[in-house]
């Protein structure tokens, strides 16, 4: 493992990694968010830096220190902010790794003042769709090598392969979540899919898994650019 990236498999490459959740504000004190600690994305950023890449980390609201070797960190809160930051950082990037759990919807209106409880009444929130960061990038005529993540509770392989094709990605890393799996844990397991192939990365610490993932990305990236 060490040999596979100790030689700097991504030396001289510019890599953008997104990590963590996004928070979509309802009012000044409330938001809608995703269950994501950011640990996997931060581990991926660290592994890419260790492999020699120039790494820009776009982070949603997480409480994690910037990993060693990461050159630039951009902190964002909402999906719209993450979209803008990733698109800007990806302009001259070789690889974009989308490990963030991006909110698919945001409240259509953000209340300027704290909403007051109306006792006994239901509250309906109207949500507007957020832009898809990966789909925006893959639609651009020139774009980085695109790696997505798919966290699924069921039919993991089917949904992951569908996202690979639908978003025109170069690779997708799929994992099963829920029932104590995947979130806020130190360990994880992934299955990688690309056009015409797949690879299981068995259960390991997020640090080890991230190094293995980065080694596989570097391999596929070099093949794609060859
Ligand atoms: N993603 C993105 N922009 C969004 C939503 C998701 O770039 N607005 C990226 C995620 O960072 C991830 C990949 O797309 O790398 C898959 O995210 P996922 O939520 O699994 O896919 P969706 O297409 O949103 O499908 P669904 O939530 O319905 O499963
Ligand atoms: Ca989603």
């Amino acid at each position: 493992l060490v040999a596979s990236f100790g030689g700097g498999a991504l030396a001289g490459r510019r890599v953008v990694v997104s990590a963590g959740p996004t928070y979509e504000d309802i009012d000044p004190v409330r938001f809608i968010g995703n269950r994501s600690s950011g640990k996997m994305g931060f581990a991926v950023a660290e592994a890419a830096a260790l492999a020699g890449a120039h790494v820009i980390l776009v982070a949603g609201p997480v409480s994690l220190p910037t990993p060693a070797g990461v050159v630039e960190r951009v902190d964002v809160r909402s999906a719209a902010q993450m979209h803008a930051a990733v698109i800007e950082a990806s302009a001259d990037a070789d690889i974009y790794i989308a490990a963030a759990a991006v909110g698919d919807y945001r409240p259509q209106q953000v209340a300027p003042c704290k909403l007051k409880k109306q006792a006994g009444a239901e509250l309906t929130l109207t949500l507007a769709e957020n832009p898809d960061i990966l789909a925006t990038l893959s639609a651009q005529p020139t774009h980085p090598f695109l790696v997505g993540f798919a966290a699924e509770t069921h039919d993991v392989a089917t949904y992951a392969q569908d996202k690979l094709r639908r978003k025109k990605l170069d690779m997708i890393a799929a994992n099963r979540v829920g029932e104590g799996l995947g979130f806020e844990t130190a360990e994880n397991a992934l299955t990688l899919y690309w056009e015409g192939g797949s690879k299981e990365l068995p259960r390991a610490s997020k640090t080890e898994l991230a190094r293995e993932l980065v080694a596989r990305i570097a391999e596929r990236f070099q093949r794609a650019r060859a």
Side-chain angles (χ1 to χ4, degrees), residues 129-215:
E129 194 181 358
N130 280 327
D132 192 293
I133 303 167
L134 276 173
T136 301
L137 282 172
S138 71
Q140 292 177 351
T142 61
H143 57 75
F145 184 92
L146 297 174
V147 183
F149 272 74
E152 310 286 353
T153 55
H154 60 287
D155 298 317
V156 181
T158 307
Y159 282 125
Q161 286 170 302
D162 177 62
K163 281 169 192 172
L164 177 77
R165 287 185 207 108
R166 197 158 36 85
K167 303 196 193 206
K168 299 191 177 71
L169 308 179
D170 295 290
M171 185 188 278
I172 195 154
N175 67 325
R176 185 180 292 277
V177 292
E179 296 156 37
L181 287 168
F183 293 121
E184 293 125 26
T185 58
E187 287 202 328
N188 202 355
L190 294 172
T191 308
L192 310 184
Y193 297 95
W194 56 89
E195 198 54 55
S198 69
K199 166 98 184 147
E200 298 276 343
L201 303 187
R203 196 171 185 84
S205 73
K206 286 183 178 175
T207 305
E208 281 175 78
L209 205 56
R211 291 177 186 189
E212 198 58 59
L213 171 63
V214 163

Side-chain angles (χ1 to χ4, degrees), residues 9-66:
L10 292 177
R13 299 302 182 182
R14 297 179 69 88
V15 175
V16 177
V17 179
S18 65
T22 64
Y23 285 178
E24 311 300 324
D25 288 338
I26 297 170
D27 70 11
V29 297
R30 305 182 181 94
F31 64 87
I32 300 173
N34 283 296
R35 275 182 71 175
S36 167
S37 66
K39 280 180 194 158
M40 191 63 213
F42 274 55
V44 169
E46 183 162 35
L50 202 55
H54 176 284
V55 178
I56 300 177
L57 174 58
V58 178
V62 295
S63 47
L64 293 172
T66 304

Side-chain angles (χ1 to χ4, degrees), residues 95-132:
I95 300 170
Y96 169 50
I97 307 172
V102 186
D104 292 329
Y105 297 93
R106 65 181 181 278
Q108 201 163 53
Q109 269 135 20
V110 183
C113 299
K114 184 184 172 191
L115 295 173
K116 299 309 288 182
K117 176 172 64 180
Q118 306 291 327
E122 284 180 348
L123 175 69
T124 304
L125 277 177
T126 302
L127 304 179
E129 194 181 358
N130 280 327
D132 192 293

